[in-house]
């Protein structure tokens, strides 16, 4: 007896009984039933069950059992049924609810089975590794992807801890992170390295969560994603970024450390970059300048026209090539100040080689411009007076000659030398001398027209070029103007100074047709003016050339004279004015040239000084004078102290004192028989160093005489300090003491000063008894001059020594 049960829902169910297999099958074919219960006595049960199963594949087929023991047994038995139900159960009230529970349980089992099967297929197909652990953390499941990632099989993962595969270096951090997530109930995710079964390392991303049933922890599920590829890509990207950063940094540092200003623009002409130098030069900080139109930040104008200069960036972009800035360009800074700039603009290309903007590189050339202009000026001008120097003068004279030649005209050159300027320099120092030269330059410039050129050749020599003259006489008024202009005293500091010029004039084409000859002619004429008593002007004449030739000849002959012993010393007595006795002598050099005959110092000493020969000549003079005195002494003559003249060049020579002492030693002359005469201007020039040399001479026992006293510019305070024994009044004052009241006063004053300063005073150039009487009346100590004796050779002088009754004897 088959029995069928249908569960419509949990509360309502229906039972139908049918008899016989055929009816049951027919019924089952009509409707769906959940349970079919078979009578235990059903014949041929196997076939019946198979037929029923076919009719209702999903129904639960049970067998009815008549036994009382047991209850519902849920198991498939040999006949194909899926369990049995006893009579007790069938009789009981709960039979039908029991069947319902049975049906529900089966449904659950099937659903679970299905779900598990679904999970398994998902997990096995999943590219994510899955690691499932129980509530104790021991692994109960790992999927194939996990095996793939970790390099472990289930046998190796089963029962292990989830963190086992994590790289030991990452593990502590990950565990801490996991515990935090647990505590805070936040999702856990981490990127860690797995150490694979074969020891290789793989980057993974882990997600882990707790499987819970209410508050109860059932276990954990962990997913593992292999992110090695991503990590490798990231590493490559990071390396590329690092390289890019380093590259940018390098470029930035380079751009900011170079002296040139760098500015870039985009295609629209907006500023995209400025380096530090560009910020400074434009006055625009990068932040302010970015995005602004280039013309606003980089304002440039033509230095001459003041018009806006063409934008170099635009040209570089449109022509796609490097272009230079317009010449003479001025950059107007943000604050309106300007600076001269120089340089270029170049196009910037993008990856595809397309022009994407332009970069302008520029630098300040204000200083180098100014320096170049200054340098050019310095090369052509005299640093002291600012007048054209020899270089520019030569150029101008050459131009003037060219013009005059073309127009058959004449040009004039005035060579101006200041008379006795050396005295000012030597006495008052170079500072005063320089100011004087500047003042002279100004006055000279005022004497000529704008078309004329006043220049300085050096020292106290000036040159004036008059490029357009009608006749040579036209130059006279210029020369006269110069003489008159310089006649007014100069006030330099506290000094009132006088200076006169000697002017030589050369005319083109009469006196020379090239620059050198013209200059030579004017120079020669100037020397002529000097020899004519200075403070005048002279035109060049051909006869003057003879003098120049003679000068050159003297210089070359002087060298020979020294070697061949053509010099001789003459001696002139110095007399005590009261006793009339000889107190000493001055040694004066003479030159016996085989052709020129007897040459006096005035004709060659200046040349010897100019060419430096004065030093060896001076040494010869001292040695000869010492030797002579020693000879006189040895011969038992009444020798007197002999004074030698020392020139400035000798006095300042570094070996002067050593050589002097050596000469004294070698000749053996007692020092008190040697005197030294030094000019006033020589001593006052660099008085401090003069003082040191004078003291050294004094320590050697040498008497000192100031020569030409009254012609220089003595400082009284120095005069007092100098260890001088005698002041020698210059013969220019003595000459007219009888007739000229001024000279008489000067001489009286010098004698008075000598008395006050406790110095002896000697007057030179005494020729007459009147002069002698005047000097005596003024209490002058000594005198020297033709009245008492001419300078004579040593032999002749020895005679006068012999006549000396009270000569100084060794
Ligand atoms: N009108 C006139 N002249 C008189 C009279 N008494 C002497 N003199 C000349 O006056 C000059 C005096 O010498 P100084 O002033 O030192 O001037 C010297 C001196 O500065 C220089 N000098 C001469 N010998 C030497 C020397 O050995 N060494 C150096 N460095 N300079 C010397 O040459 C200058 C000229 O020497 P000198 O031609 O010998 O000329 C000498 C002398 O001959 C006189 O009563 N009337």
């Amino acid at each position: 007896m088959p029995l069928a049960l249908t569960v419509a829902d949990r509360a309502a169910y229906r039972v139908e009984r049918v008899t016989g297999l055929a009816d049951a099958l027919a019924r089952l074919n009509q409707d769906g039933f959940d349970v079919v219960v078979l009578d235990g006595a059903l014949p041929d049960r196997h076939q019946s069950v198979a037929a029923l199963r076919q009719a209702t594949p999903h129904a639960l087929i049970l067998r009815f059992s008549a036994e009382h023991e047991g209850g519902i047994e849920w198991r498939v038995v040999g006949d194909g049924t899926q369990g049995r139900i006893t009579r007790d159960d069938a009789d009981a009230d709960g039979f039908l609810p029991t069947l319902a529970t049975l049906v529900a349980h089966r449904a659950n089992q099937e659903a679970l089975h299905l779900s598990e099967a679904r999970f398994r297929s998902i997990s096995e197909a999943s590219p994510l590794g899955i690691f499932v652990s129980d509530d104790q953390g021991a692994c109960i499941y790992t999927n194939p992807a996990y095996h793939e990632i970790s390099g472990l099989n289930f046998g190796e993962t089963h029962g292990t801890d989830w963190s086992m595969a994590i790289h030991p270096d990452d593990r502590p951090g990950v565990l801490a992170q996991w515990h935090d997530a647990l505590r805070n109930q936040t999702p856990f995710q981490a990127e860690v390295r797995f150490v694979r079964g074969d020891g290789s390392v793989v980057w993974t991303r882990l997600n882990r969560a707790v499987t819970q049933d209410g508050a109860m922890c059932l276990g954990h599920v962990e997913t593992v994603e292999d992110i090695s590829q991503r990590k490798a890509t990231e590493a490559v990207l990071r390396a590329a970024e690092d390289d890019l950063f380093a590259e940018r940094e390098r470029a930035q540092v380079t751009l900011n450390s170079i002296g040139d200003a760098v500015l870039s623009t985009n295609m629209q002409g907006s500023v995209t970059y400025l380096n530090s130098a560009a910020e400074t030069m434009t006055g625009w900080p990068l932040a302010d300048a970015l995005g602004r139109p280039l013309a606003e930040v980089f304002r440039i104008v033509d230095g001459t026209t003041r018009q806006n200069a063409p934008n170099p960036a635009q040209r570089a972009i449109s022509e796609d090539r490097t272009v230079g800035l317009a010449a003479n360009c001025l950059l107007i800074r943000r604050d309106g100040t300007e600076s001269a700039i120089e340089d270029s603009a170049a196009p910037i290309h993008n990856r595809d080689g397309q022009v994407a903007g332009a970069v302008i590189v520029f630098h300040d050339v204000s200083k180098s411009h100014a320096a170049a202009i200054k340098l050019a000026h310095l090369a052509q001008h005299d640093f002291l007076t600012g007048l054209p120097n020899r270089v520019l003068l030569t150029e101008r004279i050459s131009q003037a000659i060219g013009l005059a030649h073309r127009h058959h005209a004449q040009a004039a050159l005035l060579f101006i030398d200041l008379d006795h300027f050396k005295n000012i320099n030597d006495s008052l120092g170079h500072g005063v001398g320089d100011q004087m030269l500047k003042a002279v330059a100004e006055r000279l410039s005022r004497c000529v027209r704008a078309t004329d050129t006043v220049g300085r050749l050096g020292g106290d020599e000036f040159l004036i070029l008059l490029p357009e003259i009608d006749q040579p006489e036209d130059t006279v008024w210029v020369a006269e103007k110069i003489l008159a202009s310089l006649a007014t005293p100069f006030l330099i500091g506290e000094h009132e100074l006088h200076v006169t010029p000697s002017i030589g004039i050369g005319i083109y084409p009469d006196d020379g047709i090239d620059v050198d000859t013209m200059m030579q002619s004017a120079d020669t004429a100037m020397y002529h003016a000097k020899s004519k008593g200075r403070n005048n002007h002279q035109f060049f004449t051909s006869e003057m050339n003879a003098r120049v030739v003679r000068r050159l000849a003297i210089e070359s002959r002087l060298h020979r004279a020294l070697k061949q012993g053509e010099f001789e010393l003459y001696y002139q007595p110095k007399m005590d004015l009261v006793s009339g006795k000889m107190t000493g002598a001055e040694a004066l050099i003479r030159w016996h040239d085989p052709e020129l005959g007897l040459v006096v110092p005035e004709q060659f000493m200046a040349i010897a000084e100019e060419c430096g020969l004065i030093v060896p000549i001076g040494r010869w003079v001292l040695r000869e004078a010492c030797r002579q005195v020693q000879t006189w002494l040895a011969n038992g003559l009444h020798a007197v102290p002999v004074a030698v003249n020392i020139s400035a060049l000798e006095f300042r020579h570094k070996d002067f004192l050593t050589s002097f002492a050596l000469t004294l030693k070698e000749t053996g002359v007692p020092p008190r028989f040697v005197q030294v005469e030094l000019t006033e201007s020589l001593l006052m020039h660099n008085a401090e160093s003069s003082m040191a040399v004078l003291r050294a001479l004094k320590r050697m026992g040498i008497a000192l005489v100031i020569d030409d006293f009254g012609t220089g510019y003595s400082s009284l305070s120095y005069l007092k300090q100098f260890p001088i024994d005698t002041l020698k009044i210059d013969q220019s004052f003595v000459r007219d003491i009888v007739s000229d009241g001024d000279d008489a006063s000067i001489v009286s004053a010098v004698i008075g000063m000598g008395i006050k300063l406790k110095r002896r005073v000697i007057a030179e150039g005494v020729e007459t008894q009147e002069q002698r009487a005047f000097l005596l009346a003024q209490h002058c100590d000594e005198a020297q001059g033709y009245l008492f004796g001419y300078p004579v050779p040593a032999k002749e002088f020895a005679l006068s020594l012999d006549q000396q009754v009270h000569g100084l004897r060794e």
Side-chain angles (χ1 to χ4, degrees):
M1 179 191 69
L3 179 148
L5 172 79
T6 299
V7 179
D9 57 49
R10 286 189 179 269
Y13 47 84
R14 171 168 64 85
V15 175
E16 278 183 40
R17 273 170 209 268
V18 287
T19 312
L21 181 62
D23 288 349
L25 290 172
R27 190 71 190 97
L28 286 173
N29 282 334
Q30 278 170 2
D31 284 314
F33 288 84
D34 294 314
V35 180
V36 177
V37 180
L38 302 182
D39 186 349
L42 193 71
D44 199 5
R45 209 163 50 218
H46 276 101
Q47 281 181 5
S48 300
V49 171
L52 287 169
R53 170 68 59 218
Q54 200 177 1
T56 177
H58 299 293
L60 183 66
I61 302 175
L62 302 176
R63 184 167 55 85
F64 184 76
S65 169
E67 285 120 44
H68 289 275
E69 71 280 6
I72 294 171
E73 191 182 328
W74 180 250
R75 74 183 167 85
V76 176
V77 290
D79 56 10
T81 57
Q82 291 158 296
R84 68 184 171 89
I85 188 164
T86 61
R87 184 170 298 280
D88 296 341
D89 296 326
D91 290 347
D93 291 342
F95 172 62
L96 288 177
T98 302
L99 280 182
T101 304
L102 206 59
V103 168
H105 181 65
R106 180 171 173 266
N108 283 343
Q109 287 269 355
E110 281 177 348
L112 185 65
H113 195 72
L114 195 66
S115 155
E116 270 186 0
R118 218 179 273 137
F119 164 75
R120 194 164 294 278
S121 58
I122 290 170
S123 107
E124 288 190 0
S126 168
L128 286 180
I130 298 171
F131 183 103
V132 182
S133 47
D134 62 17
D135 60 341
Q136 297 306 305
C139 176
I140 52 170
Y141 172 79
T142 44
N143 73 345
Y146 187 91
H147 301 151
E148 178 70 27
I149 293 168
S150 67
L152 304 169
N153 57 35
F154 182 64
E156 291 164 317
T157 59
H158 187 243
T160 63
D161 184 80
W162 70 285
S163 65
M164 184 195 75
I166 295 173
H167 194 289
D169 291 350
D170 298 349
R171 201 177 294 145
V174 174
L175 288 176
Q177 212 179 322
W178 164 244
H179 292 306
D180 277 355
L182 273 184
R183 197 168 42 252
N184 302 324
Q185 296 191 333
T186 50
F188 169 81
Q189 191 177 71
E191 291 190 353
V192 297
R193 288 169 297 171
F194 262 30
V195 181
R196 303 180 80 243
D198 60 4
S200 59
V201 173
V202 61
W203 270 100
T204 61
R205 181 167 57 218
L206 300 185
N207 283 285
R208 190 160 201 254
V210 181
T211 317
Q212 276 177 310
D213 185 4
M216 193 171 69
C217 168
L218 300 177
H220 302 92
V221 176
E222 176 192 340
T223 62
V224 182
E225 183 186 356
D226 182 351
I227 56 169
S228 301
Q229 193 57 47
R230 200 198 79 202
K231 282 282 180 190
T233 311
E234 275 177 8
V236 170
L237 277 177
R238 195 170 314 111
E241 264 174 27
D242 287 352
D243 285 351
L244 199 65
F245 182 82
E247 195 63 42
R248 280 193 58 157
E249 192 65 10
R250 195 163 35 240
Q252 190 64 41
V253 170
T254 308
L255 285 169
N256 281 337
S257 51
I258 57 171
D260 280 357
V262 180
L263 183 155
S264 64
T265 71
N266 57 18
M267 291 295 280
Q268 290 69 46
S270 306
V271 173
T272 52
Y273 175 76
L274 267 92
N275 72 347
S276 310
E279 287 184 317
T280 311
M281 280 197 61
T282 59
W284 283 88
L286 176 62
D288 290 4
L290 284 180
R292 288 191 187 262
L294 175 66
E296 194 181 338
V297 177
F298 186 66
R299 275 177 64 201
I300 46 172
V301 295
D302 184 293
T304 318
T305 63
R306 310 291 304 173
Q307 299 293 310
N308 283 345
N311 181 335
Q314 251 164 26
R315 268 187 61 210
I317 290 172
S318 61
E319 296 175 21
D320 192 9
R321 65 180 186 90
T322 302
V323 294
L325 286 194
N328 190 21
C329 226
L330 288 181
L331 172 73
I332 318 269
R333 280 169 54 90
R334 195 179 188 181
D335 63 6
T337 54
E338 298 175 0
S339 44
I341 57 164
E342 220 174 62
D343 242 321
S344 59
I348 305 171
H349 298 103
N350 62 16
R351 279 181 205 216
D352 307 326
Q354 306 292 319
V355 177
V359 60
I360 306 172
V361 181
F362 54 101
H363 61 261
D364 194 341
V365 289
S366 311
K367 280 190 188 144
S368 53
H369 265 193
I373 291 168
K374 198 170 171 195
L375 223 62
H377 185 85
L378 277 180
Q380 296 196 314
H381 290 80
D382 169 41
F383 72 96
L384 179 67
T385 60
L387 293 177
N389 63 9
R390 188 181 287 272
V391 176
L392 189 53
L393 276 169
T394 307
E395 203 178 298
R396 298 246 173 108
I397 297 168
S398 171
Q399 284 168 1
I401 288 176
L403 267 175
H405 176 70
R406 269 202 297 285
H407 300 140
H408 303 290
Q410 298 185 80
L413 208 55
L414 277 66
F415 202 116
I416 301 159
D417 187 279
L418 304 179
D419 304 325
H420 300 302
F421 180 74
K422 200 166 166 289
N423 282 357
I424 295 177
N425 238 358
D426 286 352
S427 314
L428 303 175
H430 286 293
V432 173
D434 286 354
Q435 286 187 56
M436 182 78 176
L437 288 172
K438 279 188 187 172
V440 168
E442 273 170 30
R443 288 197 194 177
L444 290 180
S445 300
R446 285 204 292 268
C447 292
V448 297
R449 293 177 300 192
T451 48
D452 303 330
T453 301
V454 179
R456 179 172 169 238
L457 289 178
D460 56 359
E461 291 178 342
F462 293 85
L463 209 62
I464 294 182
L465 168 70
L466 309 177
E468 296 162 10
I469 55 160
D470 293 331
Q471 51 193 357
E473 291 71 30
D474 291 353
T475 56
V476 173
W477 75 266
V478 179
E480 294 291 349
K481 209 171 162 187
I482 292 169
L483 289 168
S485 163
L486 299 191
T488 317
F490 290 81
L491 206 65
I492 308 289
E494 74 270 25
H495 308 284
E496 188 185 285
L497 303 175
H498 298 263
V499 75
T500 55
S502 292
I503 309 171
I505 307 170
I507 305 291
Y508 171 86
D510 294 354
D511 305 332
I513 52 165
D514 57 55
V515 177
D516 286 347
T517 325
M518 280 287 287
M519 283 180 51
Q520 187 61 57
S521 300
D523 185 26
T524 306
M526 185 275 291
Y527 271 105
H528 195 61
K530 280 218 187 287
S531 67
K532 285 273 178 169
R534 299 180 161 93
N535 200 20
N536 71 95
H537 62 87
Q538 294 292 325
F539 279 95
F540 174 78
T541 60
S542 51
E543 297 80 60
M544 289 175 191
N545 268 339
R547 190 185 171 279
V548 176
V549 172
R550 187 179 156 83
R551 197 181 150 91
L552 286 172
I554 286 178
E555 190 179 325
S556 74
R557 281 159 192 253
L558 273 176
H559 287 275
R560 197 196 57 199
L562 197 62
K563 277 191 214 135
Q564 301 193 350
E566 294 170 7
F567 295 117
E568 186 188 358
L569 286 187
Y570 276 30
Y571 298 87
Q572 186 182 31
K574 296 179 180 179
M575 310 302 285
D576 186 299
L577 274 173
V578 178
S579 67
K581 284 180 186 132
M582 197 195 298
T583 55
E586 180 176 5
L588 295 158
I589 195 167
R590 298 291 179 265
W591 174 22
H592 300 282
D593 181 79
E595 286 167 40
L596 303 173
L598 183 73
V599 191
V600 292
E602 214 178 27
Q603 290 174 305
F604 69 90
M605 286 306 264
I607 300 170
E609 191 132 4
E610 276 169 29
C611 66
L613 268 178
I614 193 74
V615 175
I617 292 176
R619 282 185 190 155
W620 177 85
V621 169
L622 179 69
R623 182 170 290 273
E624 175 57 18
C626 292
R627 190 199 60 73
Q628 189 58 69
V629 173
Q630 194 62 337
T631 309
W632 287 331
L633 289 171
N635 291 344
L637 290 177
H638 303 294
V640 288
V642 172
V644 290
N645 290 282
I646 304 290
S647 74
L649 215 65
E650 287 176 81
F651 188 73
R652 308 243 170 267
H653 196 277
K654 61 179 177 30
D655 296 335
F656 172 64
L657 285 170
T658 330
S659 160
F660 201 101
L662 194 69
T663 306
L664 290 183
K665 198 172 161 216
E666 286 177 357
T667 55
V669 70
R672 66 193 172 91
F673 280 98
V674 182
Q675 294 182 345
V676 158
E677 291 195 13
L678 301 152
T679 62
E680 186 186 7
S681 49
L682 178 155
L683 288 180
M684 289 304 162
H685 170 72
N686 203 347
E688 288 298 332
S689 72
S690 296
M691 182 88 76
V693 182
L694 291 180
R695 286 187 175 149
L697 286 171
K698 207 69 198 133
R699 280 198 295 276
M700 290 183 209
I702 306 297
L704 305 172
V705 180
I706 295 192
D707 205 359
D708 303 341
F709 193 76
T711 57
Y713 297 85
S714 279
S715 148
L716 283 182
S717 68
Y718 277 126
L719 207 57
K720 246 172 73 181
Q721 291 174 54
F722 284 154
I724 293 294
D725 300 280
T726 309
L727 306 177
K728 190 187 238 188
I729 305 171
D730 190 64
Q731 55 178 288
S732 60
F733 301 114
V734 176
R735 193 177 301 130
D736 298 323
I737 35 173
V738 184
S739 56
D740 187 326
D742 284 350
D743 285 351
S745 311
I746 291 171
V747 170
S748 304
V750 173
I751 296 169
M753 192 195 311
I755 294 169
K756 280 254 161 57
L757 292 173
K758 298 198 173 55
R759 309 281 194 265
R760 287 181 73 76
V761 178
I762 181 168
E764 71 173 352
V766 179
E767 295 181 356
T768 65
Q769 284 298 349
E770 289 78 11
Q771 291 167 334
R772 177 181 166 276
F774 177 88
L775 292 164
L776 193 59
Q778 296 298 319
H779 305 291
C780 183
D781 301 300
E782 294 172 50
Q784 180 184 346
Y786 297 161
L787 180 66
F788 309 102
Y790 286 88
V792 291
K795 260 195 190 146
E796 208 176 308
F797 188 74
L799 298 175
S800 57
L801 281 181
D802 209 21
Q803 288 160 12
Q804 288 284 311
V805 183
H806 300 292
L808 295 169
R809 203 168 254 288
E810 169 67 329

